[in-house]
Amino acid sequence: MMESSPDLANKVKAKIQYNAINCRKHSAVITEFGAVGDGKTSNTKAFNEAITKLAPKAADGGVQLIVPPGKWLTGSFNLTSHFTLFIHKDATILASQDESEYPVVAPLPSYGQGRDAAGPTFASLISGTNLTDVVITGNNGTINGQGKYWWVKYRSGGFKNITRPYTLEIKFSKDIQISNITIIDSPAWNIHPVYCSNVIVKSVTILAPIDSPNTDGINPDSCTNTLIEDCYVVSGDDCIAVKSGWDQFGIKVGMPTQQLSIRRLTCISPDSAGIALGSEMSGGIKDVRMEDIVLLQTQSAIRIKTAVGRGGYVKDIFARRFIMKTMKYVFWMSGAYNQHPASGYDPKAMPEITNINYRDMIAENVTQPARLDGFTNDPFTKICMSNIKIALAAEPKKLLWNCTAISGVSSKVTPKPCSLLPEKAPVNCAFPVDKIPVESVVLNKCSA
């Protein structure tokens, strides 16, 4: 005899425990709104109806929506404030491959167009705008973006005037937690908090084929006070890409990414960076701390990407305690990342790259320790590298350190850096001793 829906809901709720920035007074299960977890029935209406009906309760002590065991097919849906989406360990949210289930939305103001094409974008699978206190968590439940459909159409030129959906995009919001979930096969970027503050991304696993297009792992974009920790990413693009807007649009909005801490990340991305700063950095990137990072078969460890016309800055960057195995480059800085919006960027808008600090790192099987290319009329300055040991691959590049238009110092770095990073008496490159505010947040133990 099958359990009734209320009995099943109560049974599921009884087993829910998790850690979060805030616990909730009210609780519901997606089946209470007609959802069917057979992997075939569209639940887009059920998810949107659930959140709409639960919103008044969210305002009265908060509400959690539980996704129980099953495969829950859905298109795009929007979250509300004081809300938790909990994905059970045996639950999978399956992203619809029906384009009609993703509303078309205007591009972000700091980008001026979609990232794939000069036009609007599909709404992300899970979205939210102007929210406060949102938690997306589970006990390692899964979101499957079913990206193959989107990748194939993108590569064949099928999206001429529109950008693919991301998996998670939260905009103009504060007090956001994304934790203890697995995301696989995103159509494009996986997690994209943009114009947000007080963001925690914790204990998230992201998996995509290493040749999948633009499947960036976590992209904090024009965000303040963000913590990314204990994450595992296998990606076809940068595992983490720090951004703040694109050319004239990013300059006009002028919202930097700042106060960002990235720690205990493991990354595999053979064709991209472990952590990229840019290329869309026109609103500025500053005060980024990276530590205790493991990079395996990754094109580069930290890559600073910019171009003429970007404007903005990348400054006050601090990295330490990296372990790297099988890398094309360890350090890569490029001023020639010449992707621009359709028109109108200012070729006189030059970026400032300064106060970049790398220390206490070990790498093995490296083809080229560094490729550092500033602008002749706008050099990258105040680069510091200390206590770094790089073991070369069997067939390394003949020119180990390729440096142009940069300046800085080095200390106890092997192989010996280029002459533009001269050896100084023992130096420990800077790393802040203070914490950014979000690092002091203590999560609460919550249940249904």
Side-chain angles (χ1 to χ4, degrees):
M1 181 176 172
M2 291 183 65
E3 293 179 281
S4 68
S5 182
D7 288 342
L8 178 60
N10 289 331
K11 188 174 180 180
V12 169
K13 292 177 186 178
K15 295 182 179 180
I16 300 304
Q17 292 185 329
Y18 59 93
N19 296 325
I21 52 176
N22 286 302
C23 301
R24 309 305 183 192
K25 179 179 177 181
H26 306 283
S27 185
V29 179
I30 190 62
T31 51
E32 296 174 47
F33 302 89
V36 179
D38 61 4
K40 299 176 182 179
T41 303
S42 173
N43 295 296
T44 307
K45 182 180 178 181
F47 273 100
N48 281 296
E49 183 177 293
I51 294 166
T52 298
K53 289 185 175 180
L54 292 172
K57 291 184 177 181
D60 173 33
V63 67
Q64 55 198 354
L65 178 63
I66 298 165
V67 182
K71 294 182 178 180
W72 308 89
L73 182 67
T74 181
S76 178
F77 60 92
N78 286 298
L79 305 178
T80 190
S81 291
H82 310 295
F83 181 86
T84 294
L85 178 67
F86 182 92
I87 308 170
H88 188 279
K89 67 180 179 65
D90 296 319
T92 297
I93 294 178
L94 280 176
S96 174
Q97 296 179 319
D98 180 350
E99 293 180 20
S100 70
E101 296 209 88
Y102 296 85
V104 175
V105 297
L108 296 168
S110 58
Y111 283 74
Q113 65 173 65
R115 199 58 185 84
D116 288 346
T121 71
F122 286 111
S124 296
L125 175 65
I126 302 174
S127 301
T129 304
N130 294 318
L131 303 181
T132 299
D133 179 22
V134 172
V135 177
I136 301 167
T137 191
N139 40 17
N140 207 30
T142 298
I143 302 172
N144 184 339
Q146 299 204 102
K148 186 176 181 180
Y149 165 82
W150 305 92
W151 307 332
V152 170
K153 186 170 180 178
Y154 170 75
R155 284 181 167 137
S156 66
F159 296 120
K160 297 186 184 300
N161 300 301
I162 196 164
T163 290
R164 292 164 285 161
Y166 304 149
T167 296
L168 280 169
E169 184 174 63
I170 309 295
K171 300 180 285 188
F172 297 106
S173 299
K174 64 181 180 179
D175 304 332
I176 307 301
Q177 175 188 333
I178 302 168
S179 64
N180 300 95
I181 59 172
T182 295
I183 303 175
I184 63 175
D185 293 349
S186 180
W189 298 356
N190 281 266
I191 297 175
H192 185 220
V194 56
Y195 320 130
C196 290
S197 61
N198 312 335
V199 178
I200 296 173
V201 182
K202 179 181 176 66
S203 301
V204 171
T205 298
I206 294 173
L207 305 173
I210 58 174
D211 62 348
S212 54
N214 313 113
T215 52
D216 302 35
I218 305 163
N219 290 4
D221 193 340
S222 293
C223 289
T224 295
N225 194 32
T226 302
L227 172 63
I228 301 170
E229 67 177 0
D230 300 312
C231 293
Y232 179 88
V233 182
V234 181
S235 171
D237 211 309
D238 303 320
C239 288
I240 294 178
V242 184
K243 301 176 181 292
S244 67
W246 201 10
D247 286 2
Q248 70 270 30
F249 302 104
I251 293 171
K252 182 178 180 179
V253 171
M255 187 178 293
T257 288
Q258 58 190 346
Q259 291 184 318
L260 169 61
S261 176
I262 304 168
R263 59 194 188 193
R264 300 187 298 276
L265 166 74
T266 299
C267 164
I268 299 172
S269 184
D271 293 323
S272 294
I275 301 170
L277 306 174
S279 77
E280 306 93 326
M281 39 64 66
S282 300
I285 297 171
K286 66 180 180 180
D287 190 10
V288 178
R289 299 112 180 267
M290 301 165 272
E291 58 185 327
D292 301 311
I293 309 294
V294 176
L295 305 172
L296 308 171
Q297 295 182 316
T298 299
Q299 186 184 57
S300 59
I302 303 169
R303 184 178 180 188
I304 297 175
K305 300 187 284 188
T306 188
V308 171
R310 286 289 192 270
Y313 52 81
V314 177
K315 63 183 180 181
D316 305 335
I317 308 300
F318 311 95
R320 67 181 178 183
R321 299 199 297 262
F322 278 48
I323 296 173
M324 298 161 276
K325 297 181 180 180
T326 308
M327 313 286 292
K328 184 175 181 180
Y329 310 107
V330 174
F331 308 115
W332 193 359
M333 303 181 189
S334 174
Y337 205 86
N338 294 314
Q339 294 182 5
H340 299 281
S343 62
Y345 77 89
D346 179 3
K348 295 180 181 179
M350 299 297 291
E352 178 189 14
I353 313 299
T354 190
N355 195 24
I356 313 297
N357 299 271
Y358 303 145
R359 60 184 275 188
D360 307 332
M361 300 183 179
I362 298 173
E364 63 182 54
N365 197 24
V366 173
T367 303
Q368 187 174 34
R371 179 177 173 182
L372 311 173
D373 302 314
F375 303 103
T376 302
N377 61 338
D378 186 25
F380 300 170
T381 63
K382 296 183 180 178
I383 298 168
C384 181
M385 300 183 184
S386 66
N387 192 29
I388 298 169
K389 295 180 180 179
I390 300 171
L392 299 175
E395 297 182 4
K397 290 272 190 179
K398 289 185 178 179
L399 180 61
L400 297 181
W401 291 75
N402 190 345
C403 307
T404 305
I406 65 161
S407 65
V409 298
S410 63
S411 179
K412 297 182 180 179
V413 177
T414 58
K416 183 179 179 181
C418 60
S419 61
L420 298 178
L421 296 173
E423 176 81 17
K424 294 295 183 182
V427 170
N428 281 323
C429 300
F431 196 96
V433 296
D434 64 334
K435 292 183 177 182
I436 63 172
V438 73
E439 290 181 282
S440 300
V441 172
V442 177
L443 301 182
N444 299 292
K445 293 184 178 181
C446 303
S447 59

